[in-house]
Amino acid sequence: MSRRVAVAATLVLVLSACSNQQEPATPFRPAIEAGEGEGTSGERLFQRDCGWCHGSEGDGTDRGPSLLDGTNGSALTHFVLTTGRMPLDFPQQRVQRTEPSYDDEAIASIVEYVDSFGQTGPDIPDLNLDEAELQLGLELYQENCAACHSTSGAGGALATGDETGSTATYASEPRANIAPEVDASSPTEIAEAMITGPGTMPVFGNETFSNEEIDSIVRYVVYLQHPDNRGGAPVGGIGPVAEGAVAWTLGLGLLLGIARLLGTKSGPP
Amino acid sequence: MIKRFVRGMDERLGASSFARQALNKVFPDHWSFMIGEIALYAFVILVLTGVFLSLFFEGSTGEVVYEGSYEPLQGVEVSRAYNSVMELSYDVRAGLVMRQIHHWAALLFIAAMVVHLCRIFFTGAFRKPREINWIIGVTLLLLGIFNGFTGYSLPDDLLSGTGLRIAHSIALSVPLVGTWTAFLVFGGEFPAEDIIGRLLVVHIMIVPAAIGGLIAAHLAILWRQKHTDFPGPGRTETNVVGSKLWPTYAAKSVSLFLAVFAVTALLGGLVQINPVWLYGPFRPEQVSSPAQPDWYMGWVEGALRLMPAWELRAFGFEIPNPFYPAVLLPGITFLLLYAWPFLEARFTKDLEPHHLLDRARDQPARTALGAATLTFYTVLFFAASNDLIAKLLEVRVETVTTIYRILVLGLPPVVGYVVFRLMKGLLASGAERFTQMPLSAVLHPRR
């Protein structure tokens, strides 16, 4: 029946749209096998884990971008490693925060090795949070960051539009453009994100902010991770939608149950 | 002594016979007749907490330096409105819990009205002679939503400012009179200085007075017209079976009031709502996202987000895009709601008065239409959080929007059809409940 077909078609549409996630076309594996006993030198780790996508000189392949241009520098390499964004398992994978693959020492040596290719981007910033002003941080955060990361720092999805950012090159179609929650970022990572602009995030470097302003924003973001919050359980930091859900389920649900106990169910239910 | 006074009063006012009559008035027992009361009691709580809040709130956009105990804002220039809400939240004793009870009660007030409306609709309680009360009820819903929105806007924080900005652009989108209306309402270019003060007067005086008056009329008419009831043994078009107002029904009703009080107090005390300190003060050059309105405006927001960026012309005018989802749709929605009792009477040619209720199955077409309509608005409501859903599922916002566009048009007919078949089956099979209904009754209702 045509009606059934229509229903089935709708279902397929919905389901296929939900499984939008990219799967690897062919599972890639590192070209260079790791030899025993070569220590944790940056060179060995880079060539083993990164080179097959970023090129053995860091100049890029069709699986990963060049690490020599743009804001690439110690700060960005450090950021992608401490936040566990890199290494990816396959080029189409979504870049997001996970457990880091390396310890601090290994990260430092990879950063140093990648820098030796001749990067021009910013170095890992020195922060001075004692001088930072929370009030200035709030003001600047609201003005520059809240539109994407939300005022509470819970993050949000951004329109992909035509402007697909760097993600388009390695994925066959534009992917979700998500400004992540900032609840797990360390102060250094927050500053690094600002001065390098990872993914589709704009760069907020020293052309935009003084060091003191950067410090203040960092301090406010760190504050947002444990704000002086009152009023009971925060419902996800996403505002009215979660509140509406609570009002309907907990609030009205409970009251309707009570009304049902008070009244009879006599006669028709 | 007291007896003498009472007797004296009675001789002069004849109060006792009235009171006796009133106290003996019979209320039907079915639990679904108490949903409207939940709304009523939520309103009472709104008034009580609202009076407290109004003692501290300052309805002005004039600047002051915040000096309360919330550290990130100390020394920052904010509006007096925002400042007073921050003081209420952090420095006035019990201020925050009052604010939160007020807000939760508002969400519940409108939710209870919507469920009450559904009960009235699906049981046909709006039919002659109760059309007037239906109209009053729809007006109450409209006023409730409107006052919710004005209240949401008062704290002058970044989230509600984003809401007002949208409201402003909606007002601007009305052809011919839009610019003028927006200017008049806001008292100047957005963000205008006068708006908070005006919203305050509307929010704490004009609309609550109107709501109070209409509730009184609603109840007086209900009292006058006798209660509806479900058909059943001993229940006819002319009688009411149930409990007397005194003592049985009064006890129930007071219990319900205490329950509403308890639930709002519990929510107000335990669950955070509208943390304006995190949203920060409103600044015209800033926006926050994700930004959603309170749930009862969600369907309008959803319609705004689903509306394709068409530029349509009518009568030689370029009509700005927000007009269709945010002016036309709500306009038609409430017009149809108002007109429904008369429309249905016309379609069914049933002009008789009714005091016994329908069960949903008795009118499969009405039930199906109602279910389809509810589905439509529910989808719109969820579409208002397309960005939250996109983030949760890690898919593109555009994909979510496309799915909602399909659902908002596709799902209502499907739901309507399924409900229609179910109701027909239930009616034909004579089964009391769904669980007792043979499947064949749904598949072949005219067996």
Side-chain angles (χ1 to χ4, degrees), chain A residues 3 28 48 59 105 110 221 223 236:
Chain A
R3 226 183 266 117
F28 298 100
R48 185 189 70 181
D59 47 0
E105 203 187 323
I110 299 175
V221 175
Y223 166 82

Side-chain angles (χ1 to χ4, degrees), chain A residues 64-169:
Chain A
S66 161
L67 303 180
L68 304 176
D69 48 14
T71 53
N72 271 295
S74 303
L76 187 50
T77 317
H78 187 251
F79 173 81
V80 298
L81 292 176
T82 57
T83 60
R85 282 176 161 75
M86 292 289 147
L88 298 179
D89 294 331
F90 52 91
Q92 295 86 359
Q93 199 181 353
R94 201 166 92 75
V95 181
Q96 60 185 335
R97 190 179 186 97
T98 51
E99 278 300 304
S101 305
Y102 312 98
D103 59 18
D104 289 349
E105 203 187 323
I107 289 176
S109 57
I110 299 175
V111 169
E112 198 184 327
Y113 178 70
V114 177
D115 196 47
S116 71
F117 294 140
Q119 291 183 314
T120 52
D123 288 331
I124 302 171
D126 275 328
L127 298 177
N128 187 358
L129 295 187
D130 301 334
E131 305 276 290
E133 271 183 63
L134 207 48
Q135 293 79 3
L136 180 64
L138 172 115
E139 205 71 39
L140 293 173
Y141 179 87
Q142 299 280 93
E143 208 164 295
N144 298 285
C145 320
C148 294
H149 292 283
S150 102
T151 48
S152 66
L158 311 172
T160 329
D162 299 328
E163 187 264 310
T164 47
S166 60
T167 49
T169 329

Side-chain angles (χ1 to χ4, degrees), chain A residues 3 7 10 13-14 17-18 20-21 94 96 134-135 138-139 142-143 146-152 154-161 173-181 219-220 223-224 227-235 238-244 246-248 250-252 254-256 258-269, chain B residues 29-31 34-35 38 69-74 76 89-90 96 100 103-104 107-108 111-112 114-115 152 158-159 230-231 235 252 255-256 259-260 263 267-275 277-281 283 285-290 292-295 359 385 387-388 390-391 393-399 403 406-407 414 417 432-433:
Chain A
R3 226 183 266 117
V7 173
T10 319
L13 247 171
V14 171
C18 289
N20 200 17
Q21 231 76 322
R94 201 166 92 75
Q96 60 185 335
L134 207 48
Q135 293 79 3
L138 172 115
E139 205 71 39
Q142 299 280 93
E143 208 164 295
C148 294
H149 292 283
S150 102
T151 48
S152 66
L158 311 172
T160 329
E173 51 180 284
R175 282 179 297 185
N177 184 8
I178 291 172
E181 51 276 19
R219 176 148 179 232
Y220 184 67
Y223 166 82
L224 272 184
D228 174 14
N229 228 346
R230 304 211 179 158
V235 278
I238 51 169
V241 173
E243 292 159 6
V246 171
W248 273 90
L250 262 178
L252 199 66
L254 211 60
L255 286 174
L256 290 180
I258 292 171
R260 181 145 193 162
L261 289 178
L262 285 172
T264 58
K265 295 176 262 175
S266 66
Chain B
D29 284 331
H30 196 264
W31 69 274
M34 300 183 97
I35 302 171
I38 297 178
S69 49
Y70 185 72
E71 202 194 336
L73 281 169
Q74 280 162 3
V76 175
S89 307
Y90 275 73
L96 181 58
Q100 299 205 136
H103 205 138
W104 284 119
L107 298 192
L108 281 173
V114 169
V115 179
Y152 166 94
L158 189 53
L159 183 62
F230 286 106
R235 301 190 188 145
K252 281 189 195 182
S255 311
L256 190 63
V260 176
V263 168
L267 284 175
L270 298 179
V271 190
Q272 185 186 69
I273 186 165
N274 204 22
W277 48 93
L278 290 183
Y279 301 155
R283 302 269 188 265
E285 70 282 2
Q286 298 174 1
V287 286
S288 168
S289 100
Q292 270 83 17
D294 275 348
W295 76 264
R359 296 172 72 185
S385 35
D387 51 348
L388 295 178
K391 171 147 191 297
L393 302 179
E394 300 188 351
V395 292
R396 300 174 58 207
V397 186
E398 292 82 354
T399 313
I403 293 176
I406 296 170
L407 285 181
V414 175
Y417 178 73
E432 188 59 24
R433 304 170 173 279

